[in-house]
Amino acid sequence: MSIPPISAVATGSASLRPERATSANTGDGFGDFVTSALNNVSASQNNADQLANQAAVGQLSDPHEYMIAATEASLATELTVAVRNRAVEAFNDIMRMTV
């Protein structure tokens, strides 16, 4: 946001309201970020499932790959649940506020 000259402010011809940010001028929005994060969690879980299937049928040469993928998927899921719980808690706190 550019600052208008003082003469424009004094005469009332300039607006001092900040321009609203839109996804067109700021890049990805918050919703896109959340969707991307959830897609990454899902991809991590799918990768762990595929490696588990390969380990079960004996096609996986290194079992530690499955253990790493399973741990990553578990941690990603725990983080997602923790963030969701904090968001719900914050929403509830906001709803309890008096105006």
Side-chain angles (χ1 to χ4, degrees):
M1 179 180 138
S2 63
I3 299 174
I6 192 71
S7 60
V9 174
T11 61
S13 62
S15 173
L16 294 178
R17 290 186 174 180
E19 296 175 12
R20 299 198 93 181
T22 61
S23 60
N25 62 4
T26 60
D28 293 337
F30 180 73
D32 294 332
F33 173 75
V34 171
T35 301
S36 174
L38 291 176
N39 287 337
N40 289 340
V41 171
S42 178
S44 176
Q45 291 173 344
N46 289 338
N47 182 37
D49 288 343
Q50 289 175 352
L51 290 175
N53 289 337
Q54 289 176 1
V57 297
Q59 295 176 345
L60 190 62
S61 61
D62 293 325
H64 70 277
E65 289 179 20
Y66 163 68
M67 292 304 296
I68 292 170
T71 303
E72 285 178 0
S74 174
L75 289 174
T77 302
E78 288 178 23
L79 176 64
T80 302
V81 169
V83 169
R84 186 229 27 209
N85 290 343
R86 294 290 293 211
V88 169
E89 184 179 324
F91 174 78
N92 288 333
D93 287 345
I94 290 170
M95 294 306 291
R96 278 190 236 119
M97 286 183 184
T98 57
V99 180

